[in-house]
Amino acid sequence: MIIPVCPNDFYDKLMNDEFSKGGEYGVYAPLFLEKKKFTWETRSIHNVIFNELVTIQNIDIKFGIHFVNCQFKKGIHFINVTNTTENSSLLNLDDNERGIILSNCELDEDVLVNSCNIRRGLLIQSESILKKITIESSKIQYDGLKIDNCTISIIDIVDCVLKLDVRSSTIGFLRVQSNVGNVSMVNSKFTNWTKFWNIECAESITLNNNVFEGTFSIEGSRINKINIHGDEFYRESKLINNDTSLKETKTYLNQLYITDANFIEGFEFDGKGLCINKISLPITSSFKGILKFYNWSIKEAFISGINQNLNLIFDKISLRLIIFESFSNFGIVSFNSCCADNKIFKTDEGLHKESSLIVFDTSFGNTKFYEFDFNSFDFINMRNTSFEGIEVSNTIWFSDDKLRIAGKFPVDAENFRRKRELYRQIKQALRSKGNQIESLEFQAREMRAYRDELRASKKYSVGDKVIMIVQQTNNYGLSWLKALKLIIIITFITYSFCLPLFSVKMHYDIDSEFISCKVLLGEFIDNLPTFIQMLNPARSFSNTYGNNVNNLNLLHFVDLLHRVVLGVLIFQLISSFRRLSNK
């Protein structure tokens, strides 16, 4: 049986604690409590049906007021309500000692909290069903606004200082605007849009195993860290790191940690050219969807794990330090217009710390490097790294002197072999994509590393030395000009040596007098046609040197030796043009 209570009697029954003794009550007229004196620590109101609007205004509720199993047909308003009593027990509060509690309550209209200072916090729990909760210009301390196992159609928080904690609940619309306080949302479903604007989180926004069926956005905010773990985002989501209003409020995000999330229509983090200290991406098979970072300056990025289902995009990013550790890519990873940051982040001494690319135990797989400037990094350290399968476009590769193997310059055969294998993989990846020109560059580096490996292994045989010397004559296939210079120089030296062997005025004889420089120059110039013919390895001996030969056997030997060397150098000259060939 429901016992009717008139508004005039409500306060007296509340003073006598009659609403916590098991009866069922009904209030059928608007209830307005203002400037009443609460002398108790807390009061609980059980099993009351409020058929009209309940207003609590200009009251200090001491340690708290709790509603349990109540119904509010027209809603409840808290206006200028305070809960500021000092007590040492506040340091060890539990949920049942909050300032305001709605437990297993139903509200057909809104809960309004306006201009309140609730030191013990606001708790909505135990399958409460609310149409709307609006909190304006209020300060809610302790654990702030906590929602546990509830269904709420709309939450609207504006100009407040409070921590928002949502657990195991279903929320429709959520708007948090101009709020100071951390945010935690765990195991909850958000059926419509979720928006954060101009919020300040000294510690973090933590999202854990939630489902966001509508759009999700964070704009114009100051956040120390965002943690996303196991959440599903059905619609397009974004973080924009600037203030789009006319206020131009300073914004920042210091750290970001994401794992096991599912971004079905994509989540874009737009840095607007500003800085972030750290991004951590431990990737697993349940990490899915599209994740994009756009226009950030990143102090440290850490990527690890096995990527099977994630499309990870870094676009217009500058990096002080990026680390790939135990990373295998079977999905899609793209770096577009990325380079090292060598200016923004500095050490405490004001000196530039080395920008670094560190890759350990990693297989890049189908990773795309588009306009990626490897050479902008001061330090590149790789160990057990595979580049097979990568795709590049307009990439600036690192110079050989910047590469470290396992943190140091290679000095032994094993590390030179690792370096050679690294260059071989890049060469094969480029060649498989039709990039002949750059693949030859890495083939040359591969050969240099192989030469260093042979030297360090102390198994550098004479045959290997000859082969390596020959390969260097065109810079391992990169320089036709070097081979041409060697052809001209060696032919000129051979011509100068052989000139006395076929000249009429000159010959090698110990007893002969020295000839004048004028005669020597004249003979040198007069026989230049012979020099031209010597550039042809298929030349005729008699047509080249004539029949007046002073030492036929010696000239035959020198001529044969020159032909062999010339033939090798001409082959090296021709082969160096393959980097410009379409075959």
Side-chain angles (χ1 to χ4, degrees):
M1 179 179 177
I2 298 177
I3 303 172
V5 178
C6 67
N8 292 332
D9 294 335
F10 184 87
Y11 177 72
D12 294 333
K13 290 184 178 293
L14 184 61
M15 289 289 291
N16 296 324
D17 199 18
E18 295 183 23
F19 293 120
S20 63
K21 296 178 180 179
E24 295 184 6
Y25 301 89
V27 180
Y28 297 95
L31 178 62
F32 189 79
L33 296 179
E34 181 179 18
K35 297 181 180 179
K36 297 292 185 180
K37 183 175 179 61
F38 284 14
T39 59
W40 55 81
E41 287 195 357
T42 60
R43 274 294 183 266
S44 295
I45 301 173
H46 292 248
N47 307 317
V48 178
I49 300 175
F50 299 92
N51 290 276
E52 298 295 333
L53 177 64
V54 177
T55 302
I56 302 176
Q57 181 171 331
N58 299 324
I59 291 178
D60 185 350
I61 59 173
K62 300 300 180 181
F63 290 159
I65 184 168
H66 305 163
F67 296 90
V68 182
N69 298 324
C70 294
Q71 297 183 40
F72 298 84
K73 300 294 186 180
K74 299 296 184 180
I76 181 170
H77 292 179
F78 297 91
I79 301 174
N80 195 27
V81 172
T82 60
N83 155 226
T84 57
T85 302
E86 296 289 344
N87 190 288
S88 60
S89 64
L90 293 174
L91 300 175
N92 299 296
L93 290 173
D94 60 34
D95 286 345
N96 292 322
E97 296 178 276
R98 297 296 182 104
I100 298 175
I101 294 179
L102 298 176
S103 181
N104 193 25
C105 293
E106 294 185 18
L107 286 93
D108 296 335
E109 296 295 334
D110 65 329
V111 176
L112 173 63
V113 179
N114 183 273
S115 302
C116 295
N117 186 355
I118 311 300
R119 190 170 189 270
R120 287 173 163 268
L122 170 58
L123 172 64
I124 303 173
Q125 65 177 357
S126 302
E127 300 183 351
S128 293
I129 301 174
L130 282 67
K131 181 178 181 180
K132 182 178 181 180
I133 177 169
T134 301
I135 305 178
E136 300 174 343
S137 305
S138 297
K139 184 177 183 181
I140 301 179
Q141 301 180 64
Y142 183 44
D143 275 348
L145 170 61
K146 182 173 182 179
I147 300 170
D148 189 2
N149 193 22
C150 296
T151 300
I152 303 176
S153 298
I154 301 173
I155 299 176
D156 197 1
I157 301 171
V158 181
D159 293 325
C160 293
V161 177
L162 63 85
K163 175 184 176 182
L164 175 62
D165 188 351
V166 181
R167 298 175 182 271
S168 305
S169 298
T170 300
I171 310 297
F173 296 89
L174 172 62
R175 181 179 71 143
V176 182
Q177 177 177 317
S178 301
N179 181 69
V180 177
N182 300 316
V183 176
S184 176
M185 298 189 286
V186 180
N187 294 322
S188 297
K189 178 186 287 188
F190 298 82
T191 59
N192 217 301
W193 51 255
T194 301
K195 296 182 180 180
F196 296 91
W197 179 78
N198 189 30
I199 67 170
E200 184 171 337
C201 301
E203 294 180 5
S204 67
I205 292 180
T206 299
L207 310 179
N208 196 336
N209 295 318
N210 301 291
V211 175
F212 296 91
E213 295 182 349
T215 59
F216 180 96
S217 66
I218 302 174
E219 298 184 34
S221 298
R222 296 158 301 286
I223 305 169
N224 182 53
K225 186 176 183 180
I226 294 179
N227 298 298
I228 300 176
H229 180 273
D231 300 274
E232 289 189 76
F233 296 81
Y234 284 26
R235 300 293 299 277
E236 183 180 6
S237 303
K238 62 184 178 181
L239 178 145
I240 300 178
N241 194 34
N242 75 336
D243 186 2
T244 57
S245 71
L246 298 178
K247 296 180 180 179
E248 297 183 354
T249 305
K250 179 182 178 182
T251 64
Y252 58 82
L253 171 61
N254 290 332
Q255 296 184 59
L256 178 64
Y257 178 94
I258 308 177
T259 187
D260 292 337
N262 185 6
F263 305 114
I264 296 175
E265 290 190 4
F267 201 128
E268 178 175 329
F269 290 85
D270 187 349
K272 296 298 181 181
L274 300 179
C275 302
I276 183 170
N277 289 333
K278 187 174 183 179
I279 294 177
S280 299
L281 300 175
I283 299 175
T284 65
S285 59
S286 56
F287 207 154
K288 303 175 183 178
I290 303 170
L291 176 58
K292 181 177 181 179
F293 297 97
Y294 178 76
N295 198 16
W296 286 93
S297 293
I298 303 174
K299 185 175 183 180
E300 180 180 343
F302 181 83
I303 302 174
S304 63
I306 300 176
N307 178 31
Q308 293 180 322
N309 305 300
L310 179 65
N311 185 353
L312 177 61
I313 303 170
F314 290 86
D315 193 2
K316 293 185 180 179
I317 301 295
S318 60
L319 299 138
R320 170 61 60 180
L321 170 65
I322 180 168
I323 301 174
F324 296 89
E325 184 171 356
S326 301
F327 174 67
S328 296
N329 179 35
F330 300 99
I332 300 175
V333 179
S334 301
F335 291 88
N336 307 324
S337 301
C338 299
C339 63
D341 172 77
N342 295 306
K343 295 181 179 179
I344 297 177
F345 299 103
K346 299 180 180 180
T347 62
D348 295 337
E349 293 78 17
L351 301 175
H352 289 187
K353 184 180 179 181
E354 284 189 329
S355 56
S356 305
L357 170 63
I358 300 175
V359 187
F360 290 160
D361 304 319
T362 290
S363 174
F364 280 110
N366 185 26
T367 300
K368 306 177 190 299
F369 296 98
Y370 296 155
E371 298 190 4
F372 190 98
D373 191 350
F374 284 94
N375 204 46
S376 60
F377 289 92
D378 297 322
F379 178 85
I380 295 176
N381 186 18
M382 296 189 182
R383 182 191 68 201
N384 192 23
T385 301
S386 173
F387 279 89
E388 292 185 0
I390 65 168
E391 184 175 321
V392 302
S393 176
N394 198 26
T395 296
I396 302 175
W397 288 102
F398 52 87
S399 58
D400 186 71
D401 60 351
K402 290 187 176 182
L403 179 64
R404 311 289 193 276
I405 301 298
K408 58 185 179 181
F409 284 113
V411 293
D412 55 18
E414 181 179 357
N415 283 330
F416 279 124
R417 184 165 58 252
R418 291 173 177 172
K419 182 178 180 180
R420 173 171 62 87
E421 175 62 17
L422 178 67
Y423 286 148
R424 184 197 67 80
Q425 292 173 9
I426 299 176
K427 175 195 72 176
Q428 290 296 109
L430 295 172
R431 184 172 294 173
S432 66
K433 302 297 183 180
N435 192 337
Q436 179 73 6
I437 297 175
E438 289 187 346
S439 70
L440 287 174
E441 167 66 33
F442 282 94
Q443 177 172 301
R445 295 192 188 188
E446 178 189 2
M447 294 302 296
R448 293 191 194 100
Y450 181 55
R451 182 189 181 196
D452 293 334
E453 178 188 343
L454 291 175
R455 285 177 169 177
S457 67
K458 299 180 180 180
K459 297 179 181 179
Y460 200 17
S461 65
V462 175
D464 289 334
K465 290 181 180 179
V466 172
I467 293 173
M468 288 300 171
I469 291 173
V470 171
Q471 290 296 320
Q472 291 178 78
T473 57
N474 63 358
N475 197 17
Y476 298 101
L478 298 180
S479 176
W480 62 269
L481 189 60
K482 183 177 181 180
L484 180 61
K485 289 179 180 178
L486 287 172
I487 289 173
I488 295 173
I489 291 172
I490 291 175
T491 302
F492 179 81
I493 294 173
T494 305
Y495 168 72
S496 300
F497 176 79
C498 293
L499 183 60
L501 299 179
F502 61 81
S503 171
V504 176
K505 299 180 180 180
M506 299 172 57
H507 60 277
Y508 291 110
D509 192 341
I510 297 176
D511 298 330
S512 298
E513 296 181 356
F514 286 101
I515 61 173
S516 65
C517 292
K518 181 178 180 180
V519 173
L520 176 62
L521 181 61
E523 281 294 286
F524 193 91
I525 295 174
D526 292 341
N527 287 282
L528 281 178
T530 300
F531 172 75
I532 302 302
Q533 292 186 56
M534 290 179 68
L535 294 173
N536 177 16
R539 59 185 177 261
S540 169
F541 183 86
S542 58
N543 291 337
T544 303
Y545 302 108
N547 297 318
N548 185 25
V549 177
N550 298 325
N551 192 330
L552 183 62
N553 292 333
L554 179 59
L555 184 58
H556 266 296
F557 174 76
V558 174
D559 179 69
L560 177 62
L561 184 61
H562 176 256
R563 288 171 189 256
V564 172
V565 174
L566 185 62
V568 172
L569 291 176
I570 289 176
F571 175 79
Q572 293 293 96
L573 173 66
I574 295 172
S575 64
S576 63
F577 277 96
R578 62 184 173 168
R579 64 193 292 256
L580 305 177
S581 172
N582 59 3
K583 294 184 179 180

